[in-house]
């Protein structure tokens, strides 16, 4: 199975920056789409940014121009650089990935445990 582990979260003042990383490990042929999601207290989980294996990206309107998603396929790692952070960005950020099962070759979806990002005003 694939394990996803996020890192890089923390406390930052409004206007500051953070870079999150998500490293995949385990039985991996390759990873297809990867993405970052976030969930604030009392709100549903929402997609922040996604990236295909070839590097095509998409962003939520709320983060366009401020966040940048990237990936390193050789390291099975996805990143998101978050600039100009605001209090409304406060949430638990989760990594997500699609990858084929190495036994069945069927695509499976995986989630990380999440990392807390808190932006103070």
């Amino acid at each position: 199975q694939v394990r996803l582990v996020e890192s890089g979260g923390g406390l930052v003042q409004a206007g500051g920056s953070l870079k999150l990383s998500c490293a995949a490990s385990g039985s991996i042929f390759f990873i297809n789409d990867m993405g970052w999601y976030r969930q604030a207290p009392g709100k549903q989980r929402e997609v922040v940014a996604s990236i295909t294996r070839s590097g095509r990206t998409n962003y939520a309107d709320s983060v366009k121009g401020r966040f940048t998603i990237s990936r390193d396929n050789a390291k099975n790692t996805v990143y998101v650089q978050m600039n100009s952070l605001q209090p409304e960005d406060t949430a638990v950020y989760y990594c997500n990935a699609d990858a084929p099962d190495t036994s069945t070759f069927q695509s499976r979806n995986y989630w990380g445990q999440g990392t807390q990002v808190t932006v103070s005003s």
Side-chain angles (χ1 to χ4, degrees), residues 3-53:
R3 183 186 182 212
L4 304 177
V5 179
E6 302 97 334
S7 62
L11 175 64
V12 65
Q13 292 184 332
S17 299
L18 285 173
K19 186 175 183 178
L20 306 182
S21 300
C22 171
S25 61
S27 298
I28 302 172
F29 286 140
F30 55 86
I31 301 175
N32 290 313
D33 294 350
M34 302 187 79
W36 288 96
Y37 294 71
R38 67 186 182 187
Q39 188 165 24
K43 296 185 179 294
Q44 64 182 4
R45 190 172 298 185
E46 63 177 353
V47 63
V48 174
S50 63
I51 185 168
T52 67
R53 189 171 182 239

Side-chain angles (χ1 to χ4, degrees), residues 8-117:
L11 175 64
V12 65
Q13 292 184 332
S17 299
L18 285 173
K19 186 175 183 178
L20 306 182
S21 300
C22 171
S25 61
S27 298
I28 302 172
F29 286 140
F30 55 86
I31 301 175
N32 290 313
D33 294 350
M34 302 187 79
W36 288 96
Y37 294 71
R38 67 186 182 187
Q39 188 165 24
K43 296 185 179 294
Q44 64 182 4
R45 190 172 298 185
E46 63 177 353
V47 63
V48 174
S50 63
I51 185 168
T52 67
R53 189 171 182 239
S54 63
R56 188 174 72 252
T57 60
N58 282 288
Y59 297 92
D61 288 342
S62 59
V63 307
K64 284 182 179 177
R66 300 189 298 121
F67 290 12
T68 303
I69 189 171
S70 61
R71 65 189 289 170
D72 185 335
N73 290 338
K75 296 181 179 179
N76 289 322
T77 300
V78 64
Y79 311 89
V80 59
Q81 176 69 48
M82 306 186 296
N83 298 325
S84 301
L85 285 164
Q86 300 299 315
E88 53 264 37
D89 296 315
T90 295
V92 177
Y93 284 71
Y94 297 91
C95 178
N96 180 267
D98 290 312
D101 185 277
T102 55
S103 296
T104 67
F105 303 103
Q106 295 179 333
S107 182
R108 291 188 175 182
N109 186 254
Y110 300 90
W111 289 95
Q113 292 289 94
T115 185
Q116 177 71 48
V117 172

